[in-house]
Amino acid sequence: HVLCVDTDKQKRYYYKMALFKDFGKAGKDLLTKEFNAAEQKVELKSSTSDVSFDSSWSSSNLGKVETDFKLPRNSNVEFKLETDSNVTATYKIRELFPRTLFSVKATTSQNFNLGTEYRLAQGTTTADLEFSPSSGPLLHASALFNRNNYSAGGKVSLFAGDELRVKEYSVGLGFAKDSVEITGSLSENTDKKTAPQALFQFIHNVNPNFSY
């Protein structure tokens, strides 16, 4: 759940977090995102019609500052500064072709990413080519689909060097209706040389929205 505070009315609201529903994000994020229950986090956000500002700090001494500038022709550029002094610049352009998004990302740590996303009526597919000095070229692909109350998604990462081989993969299924959410996933990282991991999650929201 997410806690939101309305300073004008002096009320607090709790909202449940959606699973397998955000088609705007890559499937790899939805299948691998972690939530740290014991971590405290502070966020500050501000925006105008053309510029947005977002900063955050956590009790684990991790922080970031992000600035987003809107540009003509459905495009924008983002700059992110993290506590490790790494700076990331990302350029995105939407609807260059119908239902598509293209992005180019570069960092001061010499990482480079070229990505594309294609949105369907009930899902999205993505493909990314990433280059890192430590791991070399990597190819990422993901797909996420939703129909009625059911969702299915998967992602795979491949080493794209001299030999094409699987680095990691993850597949998942989800069901959400009213106050019940059920998800299951299977993942494996071949670099760690461990057995595949299965995760099952059941959430029942007794009262997803309330205030006091």
Side-chain angles (χ1 to χ4, degrees), residues 7-203:
T7 56
D8 294 333
K9 298 181 180 179
Q10 296 297 316
K11 290 184 178 181
R12 299 181 180 182
Y13 302 88
Y14 286 88
Y15 297 98
K16 66 180 181 179
M17 300 184 69
L19 300 178
F20 289 92
K21 294 179 181 178
D22 188 357
F23 291 151
K25 296 187 65 177
K28 60 185 179 182
D29 293 335
L30 294 171
L31 293 167
T32 59
K33 189 171 183 178
E34 298 177 355
F35 298 94
N36 299 317
E39 185 177 18
Q40 291 75 45
K41 190 174 183 180
V42 177
E43 293 186 351
L44 296 174
K45 297 183 179 182
S46 177
S47 63
T48 63
S49 59
D50 296 325
V51 181
S52 65
F53 173 82
D54 185 359
S55 63
S56 65
W57 177 87
S58 69
S59 56
S60 56
N61 293 324
L62 296 177
K64 64 180 180 179
V65 177
E66 295 182 75
T67 306
D68 187 322
F69 298 93
K70 291 184 179 180
L71 301 176
R73 297 187 178 183
N74 295 321
S75 62
N76 69 293
V77 61
E78 304 171 359
F79 296 98
K80 180 170 68 173
L81 173 63
E82 300 173 276
T83 49
D84 59 359
S85 299
N86 186 47
V87 179
T88 302
T90 305
Y91 173 77
K92 297 180 181 179
I93 182 169
R94 299 168 180 81
E95 302 299 330
L96 184 62
F97 300 102
R99 298 185 177 184
T100 61
L101 181 147
F102 295 95
S103 64
V104 179
K105 180 188 297 185
T107 71
T108 53
S109 56
Q110 299 182 347
N111 290 341
F112 180 80
N113 184 287
L114 180 64
T116 181
E117 176 182 310
Y118 182 73
R119 296 180 299 278
L120 305 170
Q122 295 178 326
T124 184
T125 60
T126 68
D128 302 83
L129 179 61
E130 175 187 357
F131 178 81
S132 170
S134 58
S135 60
L138 292 172
L139 180 62
H140 306 284
S142 68
L144 181 65
F145 301 98
N146 179 286
R147 184 173 179 83
N148 297 328
N149 299 317
Y150 298 90
S151 301
K155 68 107 176 180
V156 63
S157 297
L158 305 172
F159 287 107
D162 296 334
E163 180 182 358
L164 188 66
R165 63 183 180 88
V166 176
K167 178 180 183 293
E168 60 181 342
Y169 69 87
S170 180
V171 293
L173 297 173
F175 172 82
K177 185 176 181 180
D178 299 330
S179 61
V180 175
E181 298 179 12
I182 304 172
T183 60
S185 65
L186 177 68
S187 61
E188 182 181 7
N189 189 323
T190 59
D191 282 348
K192 297 181 179 180
K193 297 180 179 180
T194 57
Q197 296 183 340
L199 173 66
F200 177 80
Q201 181 175 253
F202 175 85
I203 299 176

